[in-house]
Amino acid sequence: MSGNEGPRDGTAPTNVPILREGVASYLADSDPEETQEWMDSLDGLLAEAGPERARYLMLRLLERASKQRVPLPALTSTDYVNTIPTSLEPEFPGDEAVERTYRRWIRWNAAIMVHRAQRPGIGVGGHISTYAGAAPLYEVGYNHFFRGKDHPGGGDHIFFQGHASPGMYARAYLEGRLREQDLDGFRQEKSHPGRSLPSYPHPRSLPEFWEFPTVSMGLGPINAIYQARFNRYLHNRGIKDTSQQHVWAFLGDGEMDEVESRGALQIAANDALDNLTFVINCNLQRLDGPVRGNGQIVQELESYFSGAGWNVIKVVWGREWDALFDKDTEGALVSLMNSVSDGDYQTFRANDGAWIREHFFGRDPRTAKLVEDMTDEEIWALRRGGHDYRKIHAAYKASLEHTGRPTVILAHTIKGFGLGQNFEGRNATHQMKKLTLDDLKQFRDKQEIPITDEELEADPTQPPYYNPGPNSPEIRYMLERRSALGGHVPERRQTFTPLAVPDIDSLKSLRKGSGKQAVATTMALVRTAKELMRDESLRDRFVPIIPDEARTFGMDSWFPTLKIYNPHGQNYTSVDHDLMLSYKEAKDGQIMHEGISEAGSVAEFTAAGTAYATHGQPMIPLYIFYSMFGFQRTGDGIWAAADQLARGFLLGATAGRTTLTGEGLQHMDGHSPLLAATNPGIISYDPAWAYEVAHIMRAGIEHMYGPGAAHETETDGIDRNVSYYITLYNEPVPQPAEPEDLDADALLRGLYRFRAAEAGSHKASILASGVAMYAAVEAQKMLADKWDVAADLWSATSWTELARDGFECERHALRHPDQQPRTPFVTAALASAEGPKVAVSDFQKAVPDQIRAWVPGDFTVLGCDGFGFSDTRPAARRFFNTDAESIVVAVLAGLVREGAIEKRTLLEAARLYRIDDVMAAPEPTTDPGVA
């Protein structure tokens, strides 16, 4: 709204400044003629001297006003009133009476669903109050704004507030999408017969319904920002027209304390994401008490979002306050509202109209006079703006019409609204999960539900739901509105055309080895992706995601060809423009360069990895990160990505606890595969060689996006809703050629024989992964040359997958004692392997130790337990005892335990190699001798 736009009634233009849209309409103008003179003076200044001179004079006036102690609000905040004045509200397009009627039914059913879930013998909990207070915010959206999947533009993406999920289920019940018995399965996903409902928005648990998991506080805001950004990315790259798709995120004011909630706001503003709206349910409460008891969270958030470049719309007061604002000729009411703390606002609501009269309006004789003719009941009925359909509709409409910036709507509400005074605005309302019989009756009366006292008294633990059926006028109206907007929401669909994945022969360059050239597996990954992108059907599907470490990972070679995505293009000359690998940004760039933000990168990965469902477009995210800053730093985001059924590659570069020479404790990762093993949606690999990377990458794409991957259910018994985690190392070594007799299936299952034993009187096996393989190769030779031991060398590409297979075999045996027990893959693979087994990796011992239960014979694990530190690779490996000499001693110790050799041989090796002495570590080498 510009400063000279007039109200709908044709009266004189308002003098509302752009920075304070709507605010001035609430302040009485004691001298309109003088005001007009000032406005005319400013207009004349602009016409004569231009905006620069006007800006200078306005700043000087502000400076003088501050010196004279004029109480001006900060430029980033406005008075504690609605942004959009009543005179500028658009006409409400629906039948408000009908919409409010079935909103009451939804509020009732949502609360009763949670209440019934507390019945004797169940007691699974739930949250009543969040949806009760936020119901109008959702219903205005459902009835007039949220576009479904059948909308010509593709449908909106809606991040529902996690604790409000009962309301979405209750609406789906009235729509005929859920049955009464489904509601009674709330929070009983395994024990309830038939269909059941997860506690919160969990796509993995209810994949045909939920799209976005949001209940881990803070992830909803950041994921919504990156969803909106990825939608623009798809549009600008020409993959899909997303111009009519809007992202809505419903958030809590307490949730905005989370770092992730605020940490990416500048991304939305920098990218001009006007396809994004945050709706923050400002009920002024966290889970335990007020968000800002001594302050005003609405004002704080307004300042924060304004400063971050967002368009801010406040919906603070309902229409019942309009008459009071009109009567307030001195601005006393606005002044009072500005000064009252959130803690007091909550206390007002927890009492009654008489209390509000005395303790709110009574603070100023002028405001007390404003309400002297009002009854206590009328004062109590003064609603907050987040409960007023017209105010909410005006804000939503203004949000969609605003261009160039994302919008945040700050809606003032009451937690537990409509549930009665035992719930509304109480500190404990979040934890209250059931209603007493008196609560039920009061709640029923307030919501006008046609249920009798006798029905409630029959069994207070099982009060009935209310559904008048599909033929009632209200339900027909509800369904007609959804039909006009493109169908039901929320809804998740999984329909995409599977990708044709090239044969492994297309990766010959990775499989033939590198000769004398030293190549790290990080670079092998880059080369594998480059080869796969030669395929026309795959090229545009890759989404490289990099958190400002491309040069570290050797991915800067992609800059000039794939280009870095920037919706504004590159409007400057890069400092390295004359170099072959110059930094190149473009509006249709393919690389998502996220800056120093692992949290943002995971959010981007989630948006890209779920595009097969949210957009019907299979995309292959390659999120490559500094290994230590993956699962350790952003494990919650990766967990949510798994809940959202994301598919893609998580690439932990610079992996391991000993490879990063000189970096130290907070960079050296010795445990991420163990963290990854806790996530059932992650398939984890720790490859040693370039050809292993090639096989894993290609197989992963086929698994996630190849034939059969487009089905909504596991029709072939394979879970396609997974992501691949691959550890990659920055230690360059000559890469061996792929063995001619390679068992590719065994490689993908987690273990294959890389090199058979050389001659020797005694037998053993070494199982190694990642960079530990280099020491294992050397140890195999040392054992044969000096100690007469023939040790088979096994590449353990995935300790985690081997362990999962073993656990699954045990589970099957437990559940089916009448059937032949299954043999774990690792047991079968090592069945004929004689002698002791030694496992070694560059991670802590618990990583390879996952398979201990299924390894036949003597088993020793070597690993890197403890913190990392700055030193050379040989020194670090000697300290952790994962070097070749330590492996040799471990093998000999196993042979002693088996009685195959005398202990004096072991003691001789220990004295010779001094594996307890870091100073005895050998000089660094870059050739493990396998090329």
Side-chain angles (χ1 to χ4, degrees):
M1 182 182 67
S2 64
N4 59 2
E5 288 177 337
R8 292 176 303 176
D9 59 8
T11 59
T14 180
N15 58 350
V16 179
I18 293 176
L19 278 174
R20 299 178 176 82
E21 294 177 348
V23 175
S25 64
Y26 292 93
L27 302 178
D29 191 344
S30 59
D31 192 341
E33 291 185 8
E34 182 184 30
T35 301
Q36 191 60 48
E37 289 177 7
W38 279 88
M39 300 296 284
D40 292 342
S41 178
L42 177 60
D43 290 342
L45 176 65
L46 285 167
E48 291 291 330
E52 288 301 317
R53 178 62 179 167
R55 178 180 182 275
Y56 172 78
L57 289 177
M58 291 299 295
L59 289 173
R60 292 304 303 271
L61 285 171
L62 287 171
E63 179 184 36
R64 177 59 59 87
S66 296
K67 287 182 178 180
Q68 296 296 327
R69 300 183 183 277
V70 177
L72 294 171
L75 288 176
T76 53
S77 68
T78 64
D79 291 319
Y80 200 67
V81 291
N82 296 345
T83 300
I84 302 173
T86 303
S87 61
L88 294 179
E89 288 176 11
E91 296 291 344
F92 187 77
D95 187 325
E96 189 174 358
V98 170
E99 293 179 23
R100 287 164 63 91
T101 296
Y102 62 74
R103 185 198 69 199
R104 295 190 188 101
W105 301 344
I106 296 171
R107 187 182 271 139
W108 170 266
N109 289 332
I112 297 308
M113 180 179 68
V114 176
H115 177 83
R116 287 168 69 119
Q118 288 297 104
R119 61 192 180 273
I122 302 298
V124 292
H127 299 284
I128 292 177
S129 295
T130 298
Y131 176 76
L137 300 177
Y138 288 110
E139 280 305 301
V140 171
Y142 270 115
N143 294 326
H144 304 287
F145 293 96
F146 300 160
R147 291 168 290 202
K149 301 295 185 186
D150 292 327
H151 187 275
D156 292 342
H157 294 134
I158 306 165
F159 289 71
F160 293 93
Q161 195 174 358
H163 290 124
S165 62
M168 312 315 133
Y169 293 141
R171 181 176 236 273
Y173 168 56
L174 292 184
E175 292 172 335
R177 302 173 67 194
L178 297 177
R179 303 165 301 166
E180 183 172 320
Q181 50 265 53
D182 299 330
L183 300 188
D184 276 346
F186 179 59
R187 291 192 167 204
Q188 302 149 67
E189 295 184 61
K190 303 300 181 184
S191 63
H192 183 70
R195 195 180 191 190
S196 59
L197 305 177
S199 54
Y200 304 123
H202 293 306
R204 186 170 286 273
S205 298
L206 199 61
E208 74 279 8
F209 194 84
W210 297 114
E211 272 198 295
F212 306 106
T214 53
V215 82
S216 186
M217 297 295 181
L219 294 186
I222 192 171
N223 283 353
I225 289 172
Y226 281 87
Q227 183 67 52
R229 185 168 188 252
F230 189 74
N231 289 2
R232 286 284 169 81
Y233 170 88
L234 290 177
H235 186 87
N236 289 337
R237 287 192 58 205
I239 292 174
K240 183 190 177 188
D241 181 359
T242 63
S243 59
Q244 295 186 59
Q245 294 186 275
H246 201 78
V247 176
W248 299 83
F250 288 81
L251 315 167
D253 49 358
E255 180 179 10
M256 298 311 294
D257 286 346
E258 288 283 5
V259 173
E260 292 89 346
S261 295
R262 302 196 192 192
L265 297 184
Q266 79 284 354
I267 298 296
N270 291 345
D271 279 25
L273 297 180
D274 51 18
N275 61 336
L276 171 66
T277 297
F278 276 13
V279 181
I280 302 183
N281 176 18
C282 297
N283 56 36
L284 315 186
Q285 287 189 235
R286 291 200 195 100
L287 308 187
D288 290 331
V291 180
R292 296 289 184 272
N294 292 323
Q296 293 181 323
I297 187 61
V298 170
Q299 301 298 82
E300 176 188 319
L301 292 175
E302 179 186 23
S303 297
Y304 204 95
F305 277 88
S306 294
W310 287 54
N311 173 44
V312 181
I313 301 175
K314 293 193 297 189
V315 183
V316 185
W317 305 112
R319 72 192 73 170
E320 295 81 7
W321 291 87
D322 290 347
L324 292 179
F325 285 122
D326 290 340
K327 289 171 62 177
D328 182 24
T329 60
E330 300 179 55
L333 182 56
V334 174
S335 179
L336 177 60
M337 290 170 167
N338 289 340
S339 65
V340 174
S341 69
D342 286 355
D344 279 338
Y345 277 125
Q346 294 303 84
T347 302
F348 297 150
R349 193 62 202 181
N351 287 278
D352 56 21
W355 178 279
I356 296 172
R357 181 193 301 275
E358 177 182 355
H359 294 277
F360 177 68
F361 291 106
R363 294 187 181 192
D364 186 321
R366 296 171 297 175
T367 55
K369 188 172 181 60
L370 288 176
V371 297
E372 64 181 359
D373 296 329
M374 295 177 65
T375 66
D376 291 345
E377 290 71 22
E378 288 172 331
I379 290 176
W380 181 252
L382 293 169
R383 288 182 298 170
R384 297 180 183 178
H387 302 300
D388 190 317
Y389 273 28
R390 295 182 187 177
K391 307 295 184 184
I392 298 166
H393 176 270
Y396 286 7
K397 188 172 187 293
S399 171
L400 292 183
E401 292 173 350
H402 188 85
T403 59
R405 288 188 296 170
T407 293
V408 59
I409 295 170
L410 304 174
H412 195 196
T413 64
I414 297 168
K415 195 166 188 175
F417 186 77
L419 294 175
Q421 278 195 273
N422 289 335
F423 283 79
E424 292 182 1
R426 299 286 177 176
N427 280 343
T429 190
H430 188 79
Q431 282 74 30
M432 298 168 73
K433 306 178 187 305
K434 57 184 178 181
L435 301 95
T436 66
L437 181 58
D438 286 342
D439 288 335
L440 287 169
K441 290 180 178 179
Q442 292 176 24
F443 181 33
R444 173 207 56 193
D445 293 343
K446 189 164 186 176
Q447 301 305 316
E448 303 176 18
I449 309 298
I451 292 175
T452 66
D453 283 354
E454 290 74 19
E455 289 176 284
L456 296 179
E457 292 166 356
D459 184 356
T461 69
Q462 294 281 83
Y465 299 110
Y466 181 72
N467 189 340
N471 294 324
S472 76
E474 295 87 354
I475 301 301
R476 286 203 304 269
Y477 176 99
M478 171 195 283
L479 295 175
E480 287 168 1
R481 293 305 309 139
R482 288 311 318 151
S483 177
L485 288 166
H488 296 302
V489 292
E491 182 186 14
R492 181 180 180 276
R493 295 182 183 177
Q494 184 174 309
T495 53
F496 66 90
T497 301
L499 299 178
V501 186
D503 190 82
I504 190 64
D505 288 340
S506 65
L507 300 174
K508 288 181 180 178
S509 62
L510 278 298
R511 301 168 66 203
K512 68 181 182 181
S514 64
K516 295 296 183 181
Q517 181 185 7
V519 177
T521 52
T522 301
M523 184 52 64
L525 179 281
V526 174
R527 292 183 179 179
T528 300
K530 183 178 179 180
E531 291 298 320
L532 289 170
M533 279 191 269
R534 294 182 189 277
D535 185 274
E536 189 172 336
S537 63
L538 290 183
R539 181 184 304 115
D540 292 337
R541 298 292 158 182
F542 282 98
V543 184
I545 302 170
I546 309 167
D548 205 36
E549 290 277 9
R551 299 185 193 280
T552 303
F553 308 143
M555 301 177 77
D556 49 332
S557 61
W558 287 352
F559 287 168
T561 53
L562 300 183
K563 302 181 181 61
I564 297 164
Y565 173 74
N566 188 321
H568 308 296
Q570 183 167 317
N571 302 313
Y572 65 94
T573 301
S574 174
V575 68
D576 57 2
H577 66 94
D578 55 341
L579 300 181
M580 182 178 295
L581 302 183
S582 63
Y583 196 82
K584 183 64 176 176
E585 299 181 72
K587 187 174 182 179
D588 61 349
Q590 192 162 351
I591 301 170
M592 302 299 276
H593 197 288
E594 302 305 336
I596 305 175
S597 175
E598 284 82 11
S601 298
V602 171
E604 196 76 72
F605 171 85
T606 304
T610 55
Y612 71 92
T614 56
H615 290 288
Q617 296 289 337
M619 306 299 289
I620 308 171
L622 306 176
Y623 171 30
I624 186 165
F625 50 88
Y626 218 124
S627 185
M628 189 69 155
F629 309 135
F631 280 88
Q632 174 161 301
R633 175 171 288 188
T634 54
D636 190 23
I638 298 172
W639 187 269
D643 189 352
Q644 199 171 321
L645 310 177
R647 304 178 183 183
F649 291 95
L650 297 163
L651 306 166
T654 60
R657 187 145 279 168
T658 69
T659 59
L660 281 168
T661 55
E663 284 296 324
L665 184 150
Q666 286 190 244
H667 287 70
M668 292 178 161
D669 176 20
H671 52 277
S672 282
L674 199 63
L675 298 176
T678 66
N679 190 321
I682 301 295
I683 297 178
S684 176
Y685 287 97
D686 185 26
W689 308 120
Y691 67 83
E692 293 177 350
V693 173
H695 276 275
I696 294 166
M697 282 284 292
R698 188 213 159 273
I701 297 172
E702 185 169 60
H703 182 156
M704 295 182 287
Y705 292 114
H711 298 296
E712 293 193 19
T713 57
E714 298 177 27
T715 54
D716 52 7
I718 300 173
D719 183 7
R720 312 281 184 169
N721 297 312
V722 295
S723 293
Y724 278 62
Y725 170 55
I726 305 174
T727 56
L728 303 167
Y729 298 87
N730 70 328
E731 186 170 351
V733 297
Q735 294 289 332
E738 178 184 306
E740 293 184 3
D741 61 346
L742 174 68
D743 186 341
D745 179 67
L747 182 159
L748 296 172
R749 295 189 68 176
L751 183 70
Y752 72 97
R753 182 158 22 208
F754 168 66
R755 176 177 288 176
E758 298 181 10
S761 301
H762 309 291
K763 306 296 183 184
S765 291
I766 303 171
L767 288 64
S769 70
V771 292
M773 177 63 79
Y774 313 157
V777 169
E778 186 177 352
Q780 182 190 42
K781 189 173 188 303
M782 293 166 64
L783 285 165
D785 292 348
K786 186 169 180 60
W787 306 102
D788 194 26
V789 177
D792 283 341
L793 184 52
W794 297 77
S795 180
T797 53
S798 180
W799 307 104
T800 300
E801 289 307 298
L802 293 174
R804 285 174 174 171
D805 173 72
F807 282 122
E808 185 56 37
C809 289
E810 290 184 350
R811 186 170 187 251
H812 182 268
L814 177 67
R815 289 186 163 191
H816 306 284
D818 57 322
Q819 298 181 15
Q820 181 68 27
R822 297 175 180 176
T823 301
F825 179 76
V826 65
T827 304
L830 297 174
S832 60
E834 301 178 48
K837 286 82 179 174
V838 173
V840 58
S841 81
D842 209 41
F843 295 93
Q844 66 184 69
K845 293 176 184 177
V847 174
D849 202 55
Q850 294 176 93
I851 68 171
R852 177 179 292 276
W854 308 288
V855 175
D858 187 88
F859 186 54
T860 301
V861 170
L862 303 179
C864 303
D865 286 55
F867 288 111
F869 52 85
S870 302
D871 214 314
T872 66
R873 288 168 179 149
R877 289 164 186 168
R878 174 56 56 89
F879 176 83
F880 288 119
N881 293 128
T882 58
D883 58 359
E885 292 80 3
S886 297
I887 296 173
V888 169
V889 172
V891 169
L892 295 177
L895 289 169
V896 169
R897 287 191 295 272
E898 289 193 344
I901 62 173
E902 298 292 333
K903 189 171 184 178
R904 64 173 179 269
T905 303
L906 171 62
L907 297 176
E908 179 186 352
R911 284 193 298 270
L912 175 65
Y913 295 133
R914 296 161 54 195
I915 62 171
D916 60 342
D917 184 359
V918 171
M919 301 304 294
E923 294 296 319
T925 179
T926 59
D927 187 354
V930 296

